[in-house]
Amino acid sequence: MGLVRTPEEMARIEATLRSPRFVNAEMLQVEFLTRPDTVAHVLPPGLEPASEPLVVAMVGRWQSNCVADYEGGALYVAARHGDVEATYVLAMYMTTDQAIIVGRELFGEPKKQCTTGLNRGGDRMTGWVERHGVRLIELEAELPTDNGPGETAGANFNVKAWPSCTGEGLEDDAILTLAEFDLKLTASREGTGSVRLRGTPHDPLDEIEVVSVVRATYIEGDLLARARPLARIPASEYAPYAYGRMDDWSLLDTTVSPLAASA
């Protein structure tokens, strides 16, 4: 192993990245409806709203073949691209740098660092995502219905985009990607739940109004992932959405002393 990988090392790494596996997963999700105009506002060019303004809030933990053990959470918005229907990853948070880097650079997931909690007592579960002292996502669920093991599939839209090195706009056009997952479930439960979203200037999740909760679900099992590009989005059109997925760098200025600021 070294700073410049050999062909053999590259082949081994690429084999892992082609077939990432996330095993012994535990995922608590609460699905809810928001306002149609909110969905239309947050979806970037290349995506259109699905038939209903459905949003999914999730908190979970995983083991993997590529980024070790990690925890995290996310907010997904139902969308479509042509005849492909999936959820757009509006916001995503992870506890380790490996999980952040691979998800962001491979799939285009908008990952940021966080702390999380996922707790279960009988049929009741709670989960939360916290960043900079604010619990951005809080979930509560009662899950009396045991659906047992099974197999299913899922898919997420993401967008790969990089800021320009000049500090103005994007370096190139953005790439709309589709990450697809085959799920082999060892357990699944369903019931009712609640979700609370909070916001900060860097993570304004409170802009997503919870109109009505649809259901809560909990699953355990293994996820096999793969991804592919779908389309290019012109840099100028995607830039406002890219900036919305990042922190507001202009609010993180620590170079001005309190005395100078108050003068």
Side-chain angles (χ1 to χ4, degrees), residues 186-202:
T186 55
S188 61
R189 304 188 69 89
E190 185 174 348
T192 59
S194 65
V195 55
R196 178 178 294 178
L197 302 177
R198 296 185 179 89
T200 71
H202 305 296

Side-chain angles (χ1 to χ4, degrees), residues 107-186:
F107 294 163
E109 294 169 331
K111 289 183 171 179
K112 300 178 181 180
Q113 194 167 33
C114 73
T115 58
T116 70
L118 185 62
N119 305 290
R120 180 177 178 181
D123 292 343
R124 185 174 186 273
M125 290 196 70
T126 60
W128 51 266
V129 171
E130 182 173 309
R131 188 167 189 255
H132 299 313
V134 177
R135 289 204 171 179
L136 300 170
I137 301 173
E138 278 193 311
L139 307 180
E140 295 186 7
E142 294 285 345
L143 303 158
T145 303
D146 186 350
N147 294 323
E151 295 186 3
T152 186
N156 297 335
F157 293 119
N158 285 290
V159 181
K160 298 182 72 169
W162 300 104
S164 171
C165 63
T166 66
E168 297 181 3
L170 302 182
E171 200 73 66
D172 198 353
D173 289 346
I175 306 297
L176 178 67
T177 70
L178 182 70
E180 298 174 288
F181 303 89
D182 296 322
L183 291 81
K184 186 173 183 179
L185 307 181
T186 55

Side-chain angles (χ1 to χ4, degrees), residues 87-110:
T87 56
Y88 172 64
V89 185
L90 184 64
M92 184 169 277
Y93 305 92
M94 296 289 147
T95 56
T96 71
D97 60 350
Q98 292 98 334
I100 292 170
I101 292 168
V102 167
R104 185 176 59 205
E105 299 186 8
L106 193 65
F107 294 163
E109 294 169 331

Side-chain angles (χ1 to χ4, degrees), residues 230-241:
L230 290 180
R232 297 181 71 88
I233 306 172
S236 60
E237 295 181 15
Y238 186 69
Y241 302 87

